[in-house]
Amino acid sequence: MSTTEMGPAFFLAVVVILTACRLVSRLLRPLGQPPVVGEMVAGVALGPSVLGLLSPGLEKAVFPDEIRPVLYVAGQVGLVVFMFLSGYEFRTDRLRSVGRTAVPVSAAGIVVPLLLGTGLAWAAHDAVDLYPAGISPSVGALFVGVTVAITAFPMMARIITERGLTKTRFGAVSLAAGALDDAVAWVLLAGVLSMAGSGAETFLRAVIGTVGLAVFLGIFLRVRPSALERARRLTGEQMLLVTVLLLFLAAWYTDRIGLYAVFGAFSLGVVFPRDPVVTRAVEAVAPVSRIVFLPLFFAYSGLNTDFTLLSDGGLLLFTVVCVAVAIISKFGACWATARLLGEPQAVAVRVGTLMNARGLMQLIAINVGLSAGIASPALFGVLVIVALVTTVMTAPLLALLDHRDRRRRPEETPLAEVTPTTGEP
């Protein structure tokens, strides 16, 4: 395919992807599923698992091999902007009101899935083919553990906001715990990626590069007040340009040191100044990225997902057990910790339900693992199923809990609001 032929082919692929994502999202809306779930399902449906199985010729015609790298790059644009926005939504003030509950819940939601997921992958590596050649089983097992421990914080925040649950006790706890959960999970994933690097030089570059990133972020925080004063004198277009330049520079830097672009984007979002001028620039970046570029990431992920690889009995059993371990460890650990800390059953079960969703965040992590050569296509398919199942079950389970509680008397449903200062119901 020539360069001039790639342009029309890319445009057609984008039309198909965006249309499929919108259609599937609308089909799933009556089931209470957020748009991101529809986009995840549509991405998988456009790949070899569905479209390729039903019509291999059509899949090859719409998504020829030559345009897949272009889809990857365009999807990366959506991805780094999405991660930047996720970091920008990270609020440390959420920890002040419910920190005594959120911190232990977050810790349990990381440690228990990490240990059980790692243990499961380690125990199964001799029985099923999970990793590419040259990947240590211990590194591969840690990668599985980290991806199982991730929470879909952005999707959780959207569900809580859309349902008007930000002032409820379980909404505040879940937001704070989920934000902490994802921050720790990305750090752990960065460590696994550095361990998977070939030789001491790769590991050393990642360590030194991370220190350099931390120093830069520390300096950025110190000069942020004066930088904000200058930013207020910029026009909207100028502020937008500065934001995009800093974002792409951070993404480039962390990719070069071996930690991948998403880490730089998320880190920059966390330290970026919160101000109406800056927020307007950030909000200007969001719509096109969310509507156009991010679905391309889902499609690229779907093109790498082949569920036919899981036809082997051992891999199929591993998939079922992995889904069960993911749900039991995450939901169970967060629910039990909240109950042990004195939270009512109605609050604890909802915290566990929200924390159990993996969503886009796990999809990002496993794509990073696939690009780094840690995950095989079969393991990639297993973890996609984990992400889909745990995400799809969230909204219906919340609806079921609400329906059950509406049948009870109000005093038996202790979903009290939290105050922004004390966090007490």
Side-chain angles (χ1 to χ4, degrees), residues 255-272:
D255 203 59
R256 294 299 297 169
I257 65 175
L259 298 185
Y260 288 81
V262 291
F263 300 108
F266 183 81
S267 301
L268 182 67
V270 171
V271 302
F272 222 64

Side-chain angles (χ1 to χ4, degrees), residues 36 40 151-152 155 357-364 387-388 390-391:
V36 67
M40 289 174 65
T151 290
M155 191 193 79
R358 270 60 171 201
L360 177 58
M361 303 303 276
Q362 186 179 34
L363 208 57
I364 295 171
L388 284 172
T390 58
T391 304

Side-chain angles (χ1 to χ4, degrees), residues 267-349:
S267 301
L268 182 67
V270 171
V271 302
F272 222 64
R274 271 69 173 175
D275 183 83
V277 174
V278 180
T279 300
R280 282 195 294 272
V282 171
E283 290 175 347
V285 179
V288 174
S289 170
R290 176 70 187 84
I291 296 171
V292 177
F293 288 104
L294 195 57
L296 304 186
F297 168 76
F298 288 114
Y300 183 80
S301 301
L303 294 174
N304 289 320
T305 305
D306 188 357
F307 291 152
T308 61
L309 296 175
L310 307 181
S311 57
D312 175 75
L315 271 173
L316 193 58
L317 177 61
F318 176 77
T319 302
V320 173
V321 176
C322 196
V323 170
V325 166
I327 295 172
I328 293 170
S329 61
K330 193 76 167 185
F331 175 89
C334 295
W335 166 79
T337 303
R339 289 292 286 152
L340 287 173
L341 292 170
E343 297 293 341
Q345 170 69 5
V347 171
V349 73

